[in-house]
């Protein structure tokens, strides 16, 4: 009887104390301990793991890895563009008359294999019309130039595809990034097919034409344009992952500067693309004077072809004239962008990018004029083509520095 009364008294006292504790909240430390104890009991009862979860993927560290990878891939694309330009300048692009993804990776080794390749080349217009007195030694040079360009293209493909598979399996990509890298990989394959489609245009017999055999300037421009798009997309994505966005006050002048920079970047891209038509038609070998063309600001044969629209894509005079106008317009736009930015408070990195863009623009124009006046020497012309990619790269950097902070 006594034990039963004592047990009842203690139980009631504990209940009263618990209610008083909940009502007054005089011991927060004890309350937190009880809450944690209850949570632990629930976890044990439900069988949920009590070990803290690992760091989420992707994170800042994986973004840096992916950003560096994309910057590296964009560098390989630049190498392909430069090597392709040298291949075009040395007239080596039509030396390989077949296209095989794997089989052509091994060049001829023996003299007999070289003779077979040379005999294939002799069956096509470039040898019959332009290089009919070419020796086997000379053929080996142009063959290795084209072979090197194609192998570099395969290297670019592997550099995109293999890391994509690895990073995908490791969980380094966000949902939006997965779509971007799939698009980049698909564009690499498209670029390879477009390259062969371009080469085929120079291997076709054209009895009605008395011009030297060359690839279609339309296909050449498409091939270069797709390479520049691949490069631009890779570089932009890589920079946005590596460079933190600046927290800039969204003023009217900043928005104007952003629009100005976007328009300037588009003009630089268009100027580089117009250079493909100049290369495709050998338009740099006509009117080798500056600033006038044969002592005239507007040459007489500017619109010699009919219909008029045809001149802008097939008339060497018009193509060179358009490239000049676009180049001068790009220089004026970049100069204006630089002067406009000088009157604003911008981060140091953004100012450096705009300053380098302006310096490269003047360097590129000087290279272009020198190439024209010296009748397109190969080393100088290749440097000028590389300069167009450098100018585009700096324009993308400027846009990356001025981009909005994501919400």
């Amino acid at each position: 009887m006594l034990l039963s009364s004592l047990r009842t008294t203690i139980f009631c006292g504990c209940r009263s104390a618990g209610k008083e504790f909940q009502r007054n909240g005089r011991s927060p430390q004890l309350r937190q301990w009880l809450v944690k104890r209850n949570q632990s009991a629930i976890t044990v009862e439900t069988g949920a793991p009590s070990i803290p979860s690992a760091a989420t993927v992707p994170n800042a560290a994986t973004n840096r890895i992916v950003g560096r990878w994309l910057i590296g891939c964009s560098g390989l694309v630049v190498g392909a563009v430069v090597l392709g330009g040298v291949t075009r300048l040395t007239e080596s692009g039509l030396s390989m008359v077949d296209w095989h993804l794997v089989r052509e990776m091994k060049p001829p080794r023996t003299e007999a294999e070289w003779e077979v390749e040379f005999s294939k080349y002799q069956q096509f217009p470039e040898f019959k019309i332009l290089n009919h007195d070419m020796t086997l030694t000379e053929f080996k040079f142009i063959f290795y130039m084209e072979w090197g360009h194609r192998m570099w293209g395969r290297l670019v493909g592997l550099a995109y595809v293999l890391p994509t598979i690895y990073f995908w399996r490791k969980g380094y990509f966000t949902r939006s990034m997965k779509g971007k890298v799939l698009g980049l990989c698909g564009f690499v394959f498209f670029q390879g097919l477009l390259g062969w489609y371009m080469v085929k245009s120079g291997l076709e017999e054209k009895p009605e034409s008395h011009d030297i055999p060359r690839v279609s300037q339309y296909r050449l421009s498409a091939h270069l344009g797709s390479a520049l798009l691949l490069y631009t997309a890779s570089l932009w994505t890589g920079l946005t992952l590596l460079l933190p966005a600046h927290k800039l006050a969204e003023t009217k002048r900043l928005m104007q500067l952003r629009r100005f920079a976007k328009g300037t970047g588009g003009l630089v891209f268009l100027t580089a693309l117009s250079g493909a038509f100049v290369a495709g038609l050998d338009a740099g070998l006509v009117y080798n004077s500056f600033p006038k063309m044969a002592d005239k600001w507007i040459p007489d044969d500017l619109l010699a072809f009919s219909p008029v629209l045809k001149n802008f894509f097939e008339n060497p005079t018009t193509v060179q004239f358009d490239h000049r106008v676009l180049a001068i317009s790009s220089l004026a736009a970049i100069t204006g962008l630089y002067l406009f930015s000088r009157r604003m408070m911008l981060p140091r990195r953004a100012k450096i990018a705009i300053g380098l863009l302006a310096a490269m623009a003047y360097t590129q124009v000087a290279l272009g004029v020198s190439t024209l006046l010296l009748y397109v020497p190969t080393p100088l012309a290749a440097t000028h083509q590389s300069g167009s990619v450098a100018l585009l790269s700096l324009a993308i950097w400027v846009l990356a520095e001025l981009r909005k902070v994501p919400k």
Side-chain angles (χ1 to χ4, degrees):
M1 177 71 69
L2 181 61
L3 289 174
S4 177
S5 300
L6 183 60
R7 183 171 57 190
T8 302
T9 303
I10 294 172
F11 177 74
C12 293
C14 288
R15 286 186 63 184
S16 300
K19 289 180 180 178
E20 188 69 16
F21 164 73
Q22 291 177 357
R23 186 167 54 250
N24 298 329
R26 293 177 181 176
S27 180
Q29 292 84 2
L30 181 59
R31 182 169 54 191
Q32 291 176 2
W33 178 82
L34 288 173
V35 169
K36 290 181 179 178
R37 185 176 181 275
N38 290 335
Q39 288 178 346
S40 300
I42 293 171
T43 301
V44 172
E45 288 175 4
T46 57
S50 59
I51 302 173
S53 59
T56 56
V57 176
N59 51 42
T62 59
N63 283 344
R64 283 194 298 270
I65 294 172
V66 173
R68 289 167 184 160
W69 162 60
L70 289 174
I71 296 292
C73 286
S74 66
L76 290 175
V77 175
V78 170
V81 171
V82 173
L83 190 54
V86 175
T87 302
R88 175 73 187 92
L89 289 167
T90 56
E91 297 182 344
S92 306
L94 300 178
S95 57
M96 296 180 69
V97 298
D98 296 318
W99 190 86
H100 301 285
L101 184 60
V102 178
R103 195 168 65 189
E104 72 181 21
M105 294 178 68
K106 187 181 78 169
R109 302 287 181 87
T110 64
E111 201 69 16
E113 290 177 347
W114 277 112
E115 289 289 351
V116 169
E117 287 295 331
F118 193 29
S119 64
K120 290 180 183 178
Y121 175 68
Q122 291 171 344
Q123 299 171 18
F124 289 89
E126 186 175 70
F127 177 82
K128 295 177 182 178
I129 299 173
L130 188 64
N131 295 333
H132 51 83
D133 56 348
M134 175 176 279
T135 64
L136 181 59
T137 302
E138 293 170 333
F139 171 72
K140 288 180 180 180
F141 170 77
I142 64 171
F143 183 93
Y144 272 125
M145 286 297 303
E146 174 65 8
W147 180 82
H149 180 51
R150 294 192 187 189
M151 292 307 104
W152 192 276
R154 284 164 173 76
L155 175 63
V156 172
L158 292 175
Y160 274 94
V161 174
L162 295 182
T164 294
I165 297 172
Y166 174 77
F167 293 147
W168 193 298
R169 296 187 64 180
K170 297 284 286 185
Y172 284 13
F173 297 142
T174 61
R175 186 174 180 179
S176 62
M177 185 59 66
K178 287 179 180 179
K180 292 176 183 177
V181 296
L182 284 178
L184 292 175
C185 291
F187 217 75
V188 171
F189 285 107
F190 170 74
Q191 175 71 358
L193 294 174
L194 190 57
W196 172 241
Y197 180 64
M198 175 194 71
V199 169
K200 281 185 66 178
S201 66
L203 300 175
E204 298 169 353
E205 297 279 356
K206 299 174 183 177
E208 72 284 356
S209 175
H210 300 286
D211 200 359
I212 62 173
R214 56 164 64 98
V215 300
S216 165
Q217 68 271 25
Y218 298 102
R219 299 186 192 184
L220 176 61
S221 300
H223 187 50
L224 176 63
S226 62
L228 292 178
L229 284 175
L230 176 64
Y231 171 69
T232 301
S234 302
L235 183 61
W236 168 262
T237 308
L239 287 177
T240 53
L241 288 173
L242 287 175
L243 299 178
H246 299 291
K247 295 181 180 179
L248 303 173
E250 291 295 323
T251 62
K252 183 179 179 181
R253 290 180 66 82
L254 178 62
M255 290 188 287
Q256 290 174 341
L257 181 65
R258 258 194 213 117
R259 287 195 294 268
F260 198 174
K262 289 177 182 178
T264 302
L267 191 57
V268 169
F269 184 91
L270 188 61
T271 305
L273 193 59
S274 72
F277 282 93
V278 175
L281 292 171
D282 290 327
L285 297 174
V286 298
Y287 294 104
N288 297 91
S289 58
F290 189 85
K292 293 184 178 181
M293 301 174 72
D295 298 326
K296 293 186 178 180
W297 291 107
I298 300 178
D300 296 332
D301 57 340
L302 186 67
L303 300 175
F305 291 10
S306 182
V308 174
L309 186 62
K310 191 177 181 181
N311 290 277
F312 295 94
F313 306 103
E314 299 183 17
N315 185 344
T317 299
T318 313
V319 166
Q320 189 196 118
F321 181 82
D322 291 344
H323 190 59
R324 290 185 183 212
V325 171
L326 287 170
I328 295 171
S329 301
S330 296
L331 181 66
I334 291 171
T335 304
L337 180 70
Y338 174 77
L339 295 176
F340 188 82
S341 68
R342 295 285 292 177
R343 297 155 54 190
M344 298 177 61
M345 293 294 294
L346 294 174
R348 181 172 177 272
R349 230 172 42 213
K351 288 185 175 181
I352 292 173
I354 296 173
L356 290 176
L357 177 66
M360 188 64 221
Y362 282 90
T363 303
Q364 177 67 354
V365 169
L367 286 171
V369 173
S370 301
T371 302
L372 185 70
L373 296 179
L374 297 174
Y375 290 86
V376 197
T378 298
L380 193 57
T383 305
H384 179 56
Q385 290 180 353
S386 304
S388 65
V389 182
L391 191 64
L392 181 61
S393 305
L394 291 169
I396 297 167
W397 183 20
V398 170
L399 291 174
E401 294 292 350
L402 298 178
R403 74 186 188 277
K404 291 183 180 180
V405 177
K407 294 181 180 179

